[in-house]
Amino acid sequence: MYPYVYYPGLPNSEISAKAREVALVLDMKFMVRSTATTGAYNYAAISGVPSLLIERGGAGLCRREDIDAYKNDLHNILCKLELLCSPQQQQKHTPVDVTDVIYLETDQAGCWFSSCRCGDKIKQGDKLGYLTDLFGNTITVYNAEQDGIILYQCSALAAPKGTILVTYGKVKNN
């Protein structure tokens, strides 16, 4: 997973704008406006509470650098909300929007072999990876439908039907 943040796009633009404003203090390159209605942060937004889902780490790992980054993010959020009076932590990055996000899901079971890494910039037509059967025979080759950035991907070899293999979207130029 490449570090990024979701901010809710539902239920209304005021809640979304407040959440996005807070997301801007996070030290990461990308943010995604979610249109999902599931999950705790979306439930909070639907209930009128601006909220975020900060994505760091992945593959069940708990790395020290991710923990430290989360702590800095929380510090900056508390400063932004004027709940903490100390200065904000220095940001190396300010997130920009990633739009037209594609959650590439397999319609059959197989073994997943990725051709890219999280954070890679891709062009339309680039090979994202391929699915094989248990004997190594290629079932499907997946290519990018658009230019963008890889946000996360399946890190396991086994890919049951319905597995999201790769998630990517267009980086909005500000």
Side-chain angles (χ1 to χ4, degrees), residues 133-169:
D133 62 19
L134 293 175
F135 302 101
N137 301 308
T138 300
I139 300 170
T140 307
V141 175
Y142 296 95
N143 296 306
E145 297 176 30
Q146 63 188 20
D147 295 355
I149 188 85
I150 303 291
L151 295 172
Y152 70 85
Q153 63 180 329
C154 176
S155 61
L157 175 64
K161 181 179 179 179
T163 299
I164 295 176
L165 301 173
V166 178
T167 298
Y168 62 102

Side-chain angles (χ1 to χ4, degrees), residues 48-155:
V49 179
S51 53
L52 303 172
L53 173 59
I54 301 170
E55 296 279 19
R56 291 190 187 276
L61 300 176
C62 186
R63 300 178 313 175
R64 170 52 56 192
E65 63 234 39
D66 292 328
I67 294 167
D68 292 340
Y70 274 123
K71 288 167 61 176
N72 288 339
D73 287 339
L74 291 173
H75 180 271
N76 286 351
I77 289 170
L78 291 171
C79 290
K80 173 71 176 172
L81 298 175
E82 299 178 356
L83 297 171
L84 194 60
C85 296
S86 61
Q88 287 189 8
Q89 300 291 320
Q90 181 95 21
Q91 285 179 253
K92 294 177 189 168
H93 309 285
T94 301
V96 297
D97 283 293
V98 174
T99 62
D100 303 313
V101 177
I102 295 174
Y103 299 86
L104 179 63
E105 185 177 308
T106 180
D107 60 358
Q108 55 193 320
C111 299
W112 168 243
F113 295 90
S114 177
S115 299
C116 53
R117 305 188 104 182
C118 295
D120 283 355
K121 293 179 182 176
I122 55 168
K123 296 285 186 193
Q124 182 177 2
D126 284 354
K127 183 176 178 182
L128 299 174
Y130 59 97
L131 203 64
T132 71
D133 62 19
L134 293 175
F135 302 101
N137 301 308
T138 300
I139 300 170
T140 307
V141 175
Y142 296 95
N143 296 306
E145 297 176 30
Q146 63 188 20
D147 295 355
I149 188 85
I150 303 291
L151 295 172
Y152 70 85
Q153 63 180 329
C154 176
S155 61

Side-chain angles (χ1 to χ4, degrees), residues 9-29:
L10 301 175
N12 65 54
S13 59
E14 180 185 351
I15 297 295
S16 181
K18 285 180 181 179
R20 185 181 186 284
E21 185 178 325
V22 172
L24 289 170
V25 303
L26 303 178
D27 190 11
M28 53 185 51
K29 291 184 179 181

